[in-house]
Amino acid sequence: MRRQLLALLLIAACAAPGCRRDAPAGDAKRYPIEGQVVAVDPASRSVTLAHRDIPGFMPAMTMPFTVLEADAALLQAMAPGDSLRATLVVADSRYWLEALALTKSPVPIAEPGGVTPPREPQPGDALPDVRLVDQDGRALRLAEFRGRALALTFVYTRCPLPEFCPFLMRAFARAHERLVADPELLRRTALLTLSFDVDHDTPAVLRAFGLPFQKTEPPFTHWRLATGRLEAVRALAAALGLEFREEDQSFTHNLRTAVVGTDGRLRRLFRGNDWEPAELIAELRAAAGS
């Protein structure tokens, strides 16, 4: 089941309209799926579903699914909180939902193992001042950024999915370049990329990985990369709703990018990759008070 879950999350990168093909697959596997609608995007023909366990395939979780063009009209009638029953089809590097049945009565979705869902991060939350180490092997704590607005995100250097960690690095690079062009805003802000692959992503690995993105001289004076003990990284990740799990020398994970105010408290949390560098800069500017 671990391998199947990783495979499904990997092919999730092809959820964009240009990656889909509405063609039947002869050797497709089909699984009944049931859950609660979290979000609907008719333009991309997708629905985010908090689904129950899929026996023999994957545990309960929340993730987006594509629907076929023939079922696209049903998305117009969906709303968060609706319950949905469907068939999950997995074939080659594709997956989608078919045979959709929608009702308007909400169906509570139990968390795996009956665990209470974690509290959703809120603006104003104080973040844990965990011990980290940066790309030069120097000790680092979030308290060092007090007085500056901080943009923080999480990656791991071996991530193979273009729309996951590489997307975050490219987006930070574009924001970094614009901030360097504004010396006053540069002085009042900082960027931090934190790896959760604590065994592989040593300071030396992070330095080599991050150096090509640097636009300051000397490098790493505005945008630093860091890692730390697993318990420290997990504590900070949990405070921001980041989930990650190692799977056969790779990771399944969601995406979280936070803007932290000059007081060390959460100001804005970007979920996923649906944001632009200009939005990040605007939040940093507001958080920095300029």
Side-chain angles (χ1 to χ4, degrees):
M1 183 172 69
R2 287 160 59 90
R3 294 180 182 274
Q4 290 171 317
L5 173 58
L6 177 60
L8 186 56
L9 291 178
L10 288 176
I11 62 178
C14 284
C19 295
R20 293 195 304 266
R21 294 172 293 164
D22 286 354
D27 58 349
K29 295 184 178 180
R30 288 173 165 79
Y31 306 89
I33 185 172
E34 178 181 2
Q36 189 174 80
V37 174
V38 174
V40 185
D41 185 358
S44 64
R45 279 197 278 126
S46 69
V47 53
T48 299
L49 195 65
H51 64 78
R52 300 181 185 276
D53 287 345
I54 304 176
F57 187 65
M58 66 187 297
M61 65 169 52
T62 301
M63 63 181 291
F65 296 91
T66 299
V67 305
L68 299 180
E69 188 172 0
D71 297 313
L74 187 59
L75 295 177
Q76 302 291 342
M78 288 185 191
D82 292 348
S83 62
L84 181 67
R85 291 176 175 84
T87 298
L88 171 63
V89 184
V90 181
D92 304 320
S93 61
R94 298 171 290 153
Y95 72 98
W96 63 88
L97 298 182
E98 64 181 24
L100 281 68
L102 179 68
T103 67
K104 289 294 182 179
S105 55
V107 175
I109 302 300
E111 290 291 310
V115 177
T116 302
R119 174 182 173 275
E120 186 70 11
Q122 299 295 327
D125 285 354
L127 300 183
D129 188 26
V130 296
R131 296 176 182 270
L132 304 171
V133 59
D134 74 6
Q135 73 289 324
D136 294 319
R138 295 178 298 186
L140 171 66
R141 302 187 76 142
L142 289 189
E144 294 181 27
F145 298 101
R146 294 286 179 91
R148 288 179 288 170
L150 172 69
L152 164 68
T153 197
F154 300 81
V155 304
Y156 74 106
T157 64
R158 297 181 289 176
C159 182
L161 300 178
E163 297 308 311
F164 279 66
C165 304
F167 165 86
L168 295 177
M169 292 300 293
R170 293 193 306 270
F172 258 42
R174 289 161 59 194
H176 180 53
E177 187 170 16
R178 296 183 192 183
L179 291 168
V180 168
D182 185 339
E184 177 59 24
L185 188 56
L186 183 75
R187 182 181 64 84
R188 298 171 61 83
T189 61
L191 304 181
L192 178 63
T193 298
L194 181 61
S195 172
F196 45 78
D197 189 355
V198 299
D199 292 328
H200 178 270
D201 290 347
T202 63
V205 169
L206 290 175
R207 183 175 181 85
F209 178 71
L211 189 58
F213 297 97
Q214 298 294 307
K215 299 296 181 182
T216 57
E217 187 57 47
F220 302 108
T221 52
H222 180 260
W223 181 6
R224 298 165 73 179
L225 282 76
T227 185
R229 293 184 179 275
L230 182 59
E231 58 269 24
V233 175
R234 282 202 181 279
L236 185 53
L240 295 172
L242 178 83
E243 300 173 1
F244 62 92
R245 182 179 1 173
E246 189 168 8
E247 302 278 354
D248 297 327
Q249 297 186 340
S250 186
F251 285 83
T252 58
H253 65 97
N254 56 3
L255 302 179
R256 293 292 184 269
T257 300
V259 174
V260 183
T262 57
D263 59 355
R265 294 182 177 274
L266 179 63
R267 180 183 179 91
R268 172 78 183 273
L269 186 63
F270 293 97
R271 297 167 175 82
N273 59 7
D274 188 22
W275 56 270
E276 294 291 334
E279 295 178 79
L280 186 69
I281 292 174
E283 288 292 337
L284 284 169
R285 187 183 299 277
S290 61

